[in-house]
Amino acid sequence: MKSIVLSLIFVAATVFTQAQNSLLSQKVSELKFYQLPYEYSALEPVIDALTVEIHYSRHHKAYFNNFMKLAAEMNYLEMTVGEVFSKASSYPAGVRNNGGGCYNHILYCEIIKPGNRKDISPALSNAITRDFGTIDNMIAQINDVALKRFGSGWAWLVVEGNGKLRVGSTSNQDNPLMDVSDFKGIPLIGIDIWEHAYYLKYQNKRGEYVKSFWSLINWEVVSALYDEAIRKQ
Ligand code: MN3
């Protein structure tokens, strides 16, 4: 039984990390718009179908279109997305806003996709205990930075270069892979705290949205991202 569970985790890890790697290591000229791997209604009742539809087909799509539009003008068509992020400071803000908008939303959609929401890997579980004491403490810290972010942005759980897990937040569509960000690491969880992510259902109650968001987290996907991040070090 254990080996079946482990091989299922491995398959999921392979599927997702290929998607993530192919984005960061893909040339901008070869990018295609991300295909949402579930129905708009799949996140009900936590995130309503209309919010998912507008978020994906308008906001996410616009970031992608704009990032591609700027590519020829800014001469990064032959660079990888990861390279663009690592040189974000050398481009106008539109590049990081739209490039971040592409990457951040793919992570967001993937970590809440339906599937195995319950099982966290022993490796990630041990790292959480080591760095936060308990998972509830980690979640409380992420909720706290999400609430304290003034205006639009993202709340993150990342793996730092030294292998430690850390919680932080960035503004707008910046992410911890960009040279412009003070907060750096490989993202495992990214919570979109722009109002467009929750306003239809939660209005001004960002705290309720963030709290509810945790019931959607697919811990199998997040565990696979952790394994991949640790392997890269
Ligand atoms: Mn968004």
Side-chain angles (χ1 to χ4, degrees), residues 9 43 59 98 110 139 144 151 155 166 170 195 207 211 231:
I9 288 171
L43 307 176
H59 293 275
N98 291 292
E110 288 284 325
I139 289 171
D144 189 53
R166 198 173 154 215
T170 55
E195 284 186 344
K211 225 171 161 185
R231 264 200 300 276

Side-chain angles (χ1 to χ4, degrees), residues 55 59 63 105 154 173 192 194 196-197:
H55 204 170
H59 293 275
Y63 295 127
H105 284 89
W154 289 74
Q173 296 294 352
D192 189 339
W194 285 56
H196 68 227

Side-chain angles (χ1 to χ4, degrees), residues 105-205:
H105 284 89
I106 293 174
L107 179 74
Y108 177 86
C109 293
E110 288 284 325
I111 61 167
I112 53 177
K113 69 181 173 190
N116 185 353
R117 290 187 168 137
K118 281 195 184 143
D119 295 325
I120 186 163
S121 70
L124 177 57
S125 178
N126 290 340
I128 290 171
T129 306
R130 179 195 68 207
D131 296 332
F132 299 99
T134 64
I135 191 165
D136 287 346
N137 192 30
M138 179 189 81
I139 289 171
Q141 285 189 33
I142 297 178
N143 293 355
D144 189 53
V145 297
L147 280 178
K148 284 182 179 156
R149 163 62 50 196
F150 184 77
S152 299
W154 289 74
W156 304 98
L157 174 70
V158 303
V159 182
E160 291 186 306
N162 59 11
K164 276 193 80 169
L165 298 174
R166 198 173 154 215
V167 164
S169 161
T170 55
S171 65
N172 302 319
Q173 296 294 352
D174 288 356
N175 69 43
L177 297 164
M178 293 177 178
D179 67 344
V180 290
S181 176
D182 294 332
F183 174 70
K184 288 197 176 62
I186 300 175
L188 303 184
I189 290 175
I191 307 182
D192 189 339
I193 45 179
W194 285 56
E195 284 186 344
H196 68 227
Y198 62 87
Y199 204 86
L200 289 183
K201 183 178 167 90
Y202 296 89
Q203 291 86 43
N204 61 325
K205 292 171 262 177

Side-chain angles (χ1 to χ4, degrees), residues 18-35 60-72 76-85 95-96 98-104 106:
Q18 275 174 356
Q20 199 208 24
N21 281 340
S22 70
L23 181 70
L24 289 176
S25 62
Q26 211 172 357
K27 277 188 184 176
V28 173
S29 60
E30 292 162 1
L31 290 182
K32 289 193 174 71
F33 183 52
Y34 171 75
Q35 292 302 301
H60 190 168
K61 189 76 191 288
Y63 295 127
F64 175 78
N65 289 345
N66 291 332
F67 185 60
M68 299 311 283
K69 238 186 262 169
L70 284 165
Y76 58 78
L77 266 176
E78 296 311 308
M79 286 168 61
T80 65
V81 176
E83 285 167 345
V84 175
F85 286 172
V95 173
R96 68 199 235 219
N98 291 292
C102 293
Y103 172 89
N104 301 351
I106 293 174

